[in-house]
Amino acid sequence: MMRLCLALLLLAAPAQAQDQAQVEAQPVTGLFVEASGETALTLTAHGLVSIGLHEPKLAAARIRQSATGKTVSIEVHESGADAPVRGLLELSRAADGGFTVAAVPHDYLGLRPDDRLRPVAGLDVRCLAPITEAAAFHGDYIGLLLQQHAFTLSDTEMTLPAQMGQTSDGDPVELEPAKTIAVQTTLTAPDRLTITHPDGDLAVDHLGLRIATAAAFGSRGRGMRELYPLATDISCISEARDRAQEATR
């Protein structure tokens, strides 16, 4: 009987180890609030978004996750379609499903080492789901930071708005008419749409909360830091902020 039990334990051990490895290999996805209640953070397989809960702060970046044991390492990329890694965000898993910040790449995320991140439930699952259809990237791209209309995108066209200026009397004047450019759009991976453009290809990356960046490949894309809300019937930024604020009360 003892030999049978031992054999069953030996058989179960590799399966348990495999299950644990599969859990660790899954990217961290969710809404988290920093313990002081100042910052909320969302993580998906390909992006992160940091939201100020008491002041209008918003930061987002393309990321790549990997996990070893209880540590989740997140490569945070610079702006640009193929930009290098800006720094490493390291998180240590906690028993409650949250994390402790072990290392953070600069302070622009509103996080510091040893900060605790608590999970927040109730956010609409669509806000953290990957985008797997090119049509979800179509629509008007109006920047969240500068509030300027950059372009309108369809499956085969990119329309740039008219460039406006002012006369010496302060009256508006059109400097350059609206222009429509033929493009090709291809969903090259979940959360990434590639735009084949005559002046240089671009990539639109979904970073979570239906927020995207649109940047060129190569050095030209490094300064493209604007964030764009993708057209949807839900306001994921507002809902994430509301859920996180409720969790701190």
Side-chain angles (χ1 to χ4, degrees):
M1 185 67 178
M2 289 182 63
R3 287 181 180 178
L4 177 60
C5 290
L6 181 59
L8 290 172
L9 285 172
L10 290 173
L11 286 171
Q16 291 172 350
Q18 185 177 6
D19 290 345
Q20 180 64 25
Q22 289 175 346
V23 169
E24 292 175 355
Q26 294 296 319
V28 176
T29 300
L31 170 63
F32 303 88
V33 63
E34 186 265 322
S36 71
E38 297 294 327
T39 303
L41 185 78
T42 61
L43 289 170
T44 66
H46 307 114
L48 66 78
V49 180
S50 174
I51 304 171
L53 297 183
H54 303 296
E55 51 185 312
K57 277 188 175 181
L58 182 67
R62 186 167 54 91
I63 65 171
R64 180 182 178 187
Q65 295 191 33
S66 61
T68 304
K70 292 186 176 181
T71 301
V72 178
S73 297
I74 300 172
E75 294 178 349
V76 181
H77 287 255
E78 294 276 7
S79 62
D82 54 357
V85 174
R86 177 175 186 170
L88 193 66
L89 174 64
E90 290 191 343
L91 306 176
S92 298
R93 297 180 190 271
D96 64 354
F99 295 91
T100 299
V101 177
V104 63
H106 312 295
D107 60 357
Y108 83 108
L109 295 176
L111 301 174
R112 296 171 298 276
D114 298 325
D115 277 350
R116 287 276 295 112
L117 298 175
R118 295 187 288 110
V120 178
L123 182 64
D124 192 310
V125 293
R126 294 174 293 174
C127 293
L128 297 173
I131 292 179
T132 56
E133 294 182 357
F137 287 99
H138 297 165
D140 292 321
Y141 280 68
I142 301 172
L144 286 167
L145 305 180
L146 299 178
Q147 298 296 314
Q148 292 181 355
H149 184 193
F151 58 90
T152 300
L153 185 67
S154 71
D155 191 34
T156 58
E157 292 181 339
M158 174 185 284
T159 300
L160 305 178
Q163 299 298 307
M164 303 300 293
Q166 286 185 337
T167 66
S168 58
D169 296 328
D171 297 324
V173 60
E174 185 177 274
L175 301 177
E176 188 176 335
K179 179 169 61 174
T180 298
I181 303 165
V183 298
Q184 291 181 342
T185 59
T186 307
L187 191 76
T188 50
D191 288 330
R192 167 162 282 201
L193 184 81
T194 299
I195 304 171
T196 303
H197 189 286
D199 294 332
D201 294 350
L202 301 128
V204 181
D205 286 301
H206 173 227
L207 308 176
L209 296 185
R210 297 287 161 151
I211 295 173
T213 57
F217 289 87
S219 60
R220 194 165 62 92
R222 304 294 162 80
M224 297 181 174
R225 297 185 174 88
E226 183 61 279
L227 303 174
Y228 302 97
L230 299 174
T232 180
D233 61 344
I234 49 175
S235 177
C236 290
I237 301 175
S238 298
E239 184 175 339
R241 182 181 283 112
D242 291 345
R243 293 286 182 183
Q245 287 176 337
E246 288 173 6
T248 62
R249 295 190 186 115

